[in-house]
Amino acid sequence: MNNIKKYIAFSCFVVAVYYSNAQTAGDYRPWMDSIYSNISHYFYDAGNKLYYEEYAPGEKQVHSFLWPLCALIQAANEAAVINPSVNYVQPAVDAIDQYYTTATPLPSYQASVVKEKKDDAFYDDNQWIAIAYIDIYNRTNEKKYLDVAKAVYDFMMTGYDTAAGGGLYWKYADKTTKNTCSNGPGILIALQLYKITDDKRYLQTAIRLYDWVNMHLQAPDDLYYDNIKIPSLKIDSVKYTYNTGTMLQSNVLLYNITHEKKYLQRAEAMAASATKFFYRKNKLPGNYWFNAVMLRGYIELYRINHDKNLLGFWYDEAERIWHDEKDANGLLGRNVKKKSLIDQAAMLEIYARLQALK
């Protein structure tokens, strides 16, 4: 009997050591499960099939703007890649559907729940949804997601004119800025639709937007400024990780499509510059979702050049956040008073994408 007890104890020890080593080596599935469980518990309004923006003990919760759902739907798809037996996507789709509006000349998704208030439609919010839906279509072959992406493309092109030489506005009802965050994802939608349909008008749009962003918003260090003001043409020179992410990914996709090495060379230069600029004192800037979008670009590049040095700091950052920026409830975020849906969704996407690389 004592030998049996010793064997069981030893076996438990071996399993515990194995599990610990697997986790530190990048088995993020338990962390993904924890995050998704917390999203469902703290942020989901099951009665209305909607999500709350934030959670803070003792404070009334309000339904989310559309932007955090852009993060959630992408995270849901990436989680489904790892665990296809769970229907992560449908609850997010059910929520997003409640932002659908025909108040714009072409149908779109507005920033707030339609039944609660009338709001502006952000071109980039619509684009993030389309990007996620294209990924869902590529995974499931369900045509309804591709149809939405095509409709978003048509809507986003209502934001194009010749002010400042071209480019897309940021908001439908606000013609005062053209942003990297509305043109970068616009390029990605057009390139992905071209890959699926072989319709050359999508490729032409992508190259036209790509050339405009590089002409007006690219910084000397190969990164990107945030926006150009209309009509003054003044540049807002702040740099965000997600703008690097969309343009980095765009360069890799353009290389895949055209086989022109200039795009790959630009992508590699951009990644090197971004690592130097954004990863300081062993951490990235605090917006997890901006960083998740940048990770997409790094992974796209990694699939081409297989340079493991590209991703090393991403694993370090993922580990650091889990250990240093998680509260007693397991909720992630640097704000100690309240936690946000977008932060949980962003980290779910990051852990899922890093897990998929395994």
Side-chain angles (χ1 to χ4, degrees), residues 233-257:
L233 304 186
K234 182 179 179 181
I235 300 295
D236 183 342
S237 60
V238 66
K239 298 172 186 175
Y240 295 114
T241 50
Y242 75 148
N243 289 331
T244 291
T246 57
M247 294 307 295
L248 174 56
Q249 190 174 7
S250 294
N251 273 290
V252 180
L253 292 181
L254 280 166
Y255 171 74
N256 287 335
I257 291 168

Side-chain angles (χ1 to χ4, degrees), residues 300-355:
E300 204 78 60
L301 178 57
Y302 172 76
R303 287 172 178 155
I304 298 297
N305 67 13
H306 306 293
D307 181 3
K308 292 184 178 180
N309 292 324
L310 272 174
L311 300 177
F313 78 90
W314 285 103
Y315 285 100
D316 292 341
E317 179 73 348
E319 298 283 338
R320 184 193 65 77
I321 288 171
W322 185 261
H323 295 295
D324 295 351
E325 298 179 4
K326 183 172 85 279
D327 70 10
N329 294 319
L331 295 169
L332 296 158
R334 294 185 182 180
N335 188 327
V336 298
K337 294 183 179 180
K338 60 180 64 178
K339 301 301 178 184
S340 67
L341 173 61
I342 197 169
D343 278 349
Q344 314 315 305
M347 291 312 302
L348 179 59
E349 177 184 346
I350 287 172
Y351 291 128
R353 288 190 184 275
L354 294 177
Q355 181 67 34

Side-chain angles (χ1 to χ4, degrees), residues 3-21:
N3 288 338
I4 292 175
K5 289 182 178 178
K6 289 179 180 179
Y7 174 78
I8 292 173
F10 177 74
S11 298
C12 291
F13 171 76
V14 170
V15 169
V17 171
Y18 172 80
Y19 180 82
S20 176
N21 288 342

Side-chain angles (χ1 to χ4, degrees), residues 277-315:
F277 183 84
F278 291 116
Y279 191 61
R280 298 181 180 181
K281 297 182 179 179
N282 297 319
K283 66 173 63 176
L284 286 169
N287 191 307
Y288 296 164
W289 183 75
F290 283 7
N291 300 340
V293 176
M294 188 165 79
L295 175 60
R296 302 174 197 175
Y298 273 71
I299 290 175
E300 204 78 60
L301 178 57
Y302 172 76
R303 287 172 178 155
I304 298 297
N305 67 13
H306 306 293
D307 181 3
K308 292 184 178 180
N309 292 324
L310 272 174
L311 300 177
F313 78 90
W314 285 103
Y315 285 100

